Amino acid sequence: MLKKLLASGVALAALSGAAQAADKTLVISVYGFAQDAFKEIVYDPFEAKCGCELVVETGNSVERLAKLEARKDDPEIDMAVMSTHDALSAARKGITQSIDVSRLSNYDKLYEIAKDPVGDNMGVGYTFYATSIAYRADEVTIESWADLFQDKLKGRVAFPNVSTNQGPPALYMVGKAIGDDAADLKAAIGEVAKNKVDIVTFYERSSQVAQLMQQEEILAAPIGRFAWGAYSKMGFDMAWATPKEGQTGGMNVMILTKGAKNEDLAYQFMDFWLSTEIQTKLAEALVDSPANAEVKVSDDIAENLTYGAETVESLKLLDPAVILDNRESWLSEWNAQIGQ
């Protein structure tokens, strides 16, 4: 009888252990970018640390946001990463909940702009990027966003389409340069329209504009800093502009779904990702620019990132509410003045 009880106890313990393992599953939704690096630097080490299973879903912003909305009453996903304006959209739709930042031991290490970029702690920034102008320093000088339309660049410049992530921020800075940075971007779009015959292309992919630069068809273009590595290796005298109006850019944030089934694990994972160690490794792998201000990297690495307090403080980021509330009217205005 005793043996049977012991055997039953062992069986129950095994079942209990299996149930606990099943319970310790975290489901996250992320961009498809650099997943091999994320697996090595973030996912596998976290699984080893927490003794849990990490289920990773990838896709573009539209697909992932749609899935979150479709399952908001019974969420499958516990936490996700997305742009600030997509995070605000999710918050407005009741998909996400406020993050209790007191549960993140690394929160105070973040740059100020990353601490509450969406408002009401509905997102915590984990990476950002600068957007400025890459240009051939041996051919032209760029000191202002208005210099994109100088005579030397007529027929030798590219500009991002308004539908891209780089488009609205670049337009915002053009508006600043001409003295009208109203949220409707009408003046900036008008300035681009006035010069559209001198613009080689309104690009939609960063690879497209890099190819044009490599082929010497263009001498300048607004780009995201994450793409700078390719330009610095082209063999030309390439420079990254620091215009007098400042640089712009974008930020990605972590969000927590309302009703997350594995909330404790989600907090542990977010805190792990924000740690100095993990943010440093991601920076050194040129995967993400660090939102953790304690991260230190070599000059060679920093050259390819949006890095350092001075750079971060110079960023003029569009408010996510401005993007969310105006992007349809921006597209209409763009199509009316510049064409599809």
Side-chain angles (χ1 to χ4, degrees), residues 51-70:
C52 62
E53 181 186 359
L54 197 60
V55 177
V56 182
E57 297 196 0
T58 62
N60 64 39
S61 297
V62 174
E63 294 167 346
R64 296 190 301 112
L65 194 56
K67 183 169 184 178
L68 285 170
E69 186 174 10

Side-chain angles (χ1 to χ4, degrees), residues 69-149:
E69 186 174 10
R71 291 296 302 261
K72 75 174 184 178
D73 294 329
D74 182 24
E76 291 178 305
I77 292 162
D78 300 304
M79 69 81 65
V81 299
M82 55 188 59
S83 67
T84 51
H85 56 274
D86 282 337
L88 179 59
S89 176
R92 288 180 176 180
K93 292 173 179 177
I95 295 169
T96 56
Q97 60 176 303
S98 181
I99 294 170
D100 180 358
V101 297
S102 70
R103 298 177 67 177
L104 300 174
S105 66
N106 293 297
Y107 180 77
D108 289 338
K109 299 175 185 177
L110 302 178
Y111 289 107
E112 283 301 315
I113 66 168
K115 288 183 176 178
D116 189 22
V118 180
D120 298 322
N121 290 321
M122 299 303 285
V124 174
Y126 69 94
T127 189
F128 37 68
Y129 60 85
T131 292
S132 190
I133 302 162
Y135 68 98
R136 284 277 298 275
D138 57 326
E139 297 280 354
V140 294
T141 300
I142 302 283
E143 297 177 346
S144 165
W145 284 83
D147 289 339
L148 284 168
F149 310 116

Side-chain angles (χ1 to χ4, degrees), residues 21-335:
D23 287 344
K24 294 195 72 175
T25 300
L26 178 67
V27 185
I28 66 171
S29 173
V30 299
Y31 295 103
F33 165 76
Q35 282 304 291
D36 288 344
F38 275 111
K39 186 177 188 303
E40 179 183 345
I41 296 170
V42 186
Y43 307 156
D44 288 351
F46 179 73
E47 284 184 323
K49 182 179 180 179
C50 72
C52 62
E53 181 186 359
L54 197 60
V55 177
V56 182
E57 297 196 0
T58 62
N60 64 39
S61 297
V62 174
E63 294 167 346
R64 296 190 301 112
L65 194 56
K67 183 169 184 178
L68 285 170
E69 186 174 10
R71 291 296 302 261
K72 75 174 184 178
D73 294 329
D74 182 24
E76 291 178 305
I77 292 162
D78 300 304
M79 69 81 65
V81 299
M82 55 188 59
S83 67
T84 51
H85 56 274
D86 282 337
L88 179 59
S89 176
R92 288 180 176 180
K93 292 173 179 177
I95 295 169
T96 56
Q97 60 176 303
S98 181
I99 294 170
D100 180 358
V101 297
S102 70
R103 298 177 67 177
L104 300 174
S105 66
N106 293 297
Y107 180 77
D108 289 338
K109 299 175 185 177
L110 302 178
Y111 289 107
E112 283 301 315
I113 66 168
K115 288 183 176 178
D116 189 22
V118 180
D120 298 322
N121 290 321
M122 299 303 285
V124 174
Y126 69 94
T127 189
F128 37 68
Y129 60 85
T131 292
S132 190
I133 302 162
Y135 68 98
R136 284 277 298 275
D138 57 326
E139 297 280 354
V140 294
T141 300
I142 302 283
E143 297 177 346
S144 165
W145 284 83
D147 289 339
L148 284 168
F149 310 116
Q150 62 180 280
D151 288 344
K152 285 186 177 180
L153 287 178
K154 290 186 184 302
R156 305 294 300 279
V157 65
F159 197 88
N161 192 291
V162 73
S163 63
T164 67
N165 286 335
Q166 307 305 318
L171 286 165
Y172 174 59
M173 297 311 293
V174 167
K176 279 189 172 294
I178 63 174
D180 187 340
D181 60 355
D184 61 19
L185 297 182
K186 282 188 177 181
I189 292 173
E191 183 70 13
V192 173
K194 187 171 71 177
N195 293 278
K196 67 179 182 180
V197 297
D198 299 317
I199 296 172
V200 174
T201 187
F202 295 105
Y203 74 86
E204 296 185 356
R205 300 185 310 280
S206 57
S207 58
Q208 179 187 9
V209 72
Q211 185 177 17
L212 290 172
M213 189 74 77
Q214 183 69 69
Q215 294 170 346
E216 300 190 72
E217 293 183 43
I218 61 171
L219 300 175
I223 66 167
R225 185 68 178 182
F226 55 82
W228 172 246
Y231 292 81
S232 66
K233 297 171 185 173
M234 285 182 180
F236 303 135
D237 184 10
M238 297 298 305
W240 179 266
T242 53
K244 62 185 180 182
E245 301 86 10
Q247 301 179 58
T248 183
M251 185 185 306
N252 290 339
V253 299
M254 301 173 175
I255 58 98
L256 182 65
T257 57
K258 186 180 289 185
K261 296 179 175 66
N262 299 284
E263 189 173 302
D264 288 345
L265 272 182
Y267 274 105
Q268 291 174 42
F269 181 67
M270 288 190 283
D271 202 35
F272 183 76
W273 195 334
L274 295 173
S275 69
T276 305
E277 178 186 0
I278 298 305
Q279 290 259 307
T280 299
K281 287 180 178 179
L282 288 169
E284 289 175 341
L286 301 181
V287 173
D288 274 340
S289 295
N292 183 320
E294 290 189 353
V295 171
K296 306 295 181 190
V297 296
S298 68
D299 290 345
D300 287 346
I301 296 294
E303 177 69 17
N304 293 291
L305 300 172
T306 300
Y307 173 79
E310 186 177 344
T311 299
V312 172
E313 288 167 9
S314 76
L315 297 180
K316 305 291 191 298
L317 302 183
L318 272 171
D319 187 282
V322 169
I323 298 174
L324 202 57
D325 296 339
N326 290 278
R327 55 187 176 185
E328 288 186 13
S329 62
W330 291 340
L331 183 58
S332 296
E333 188 71 23
W334 179 275
N335 287 340

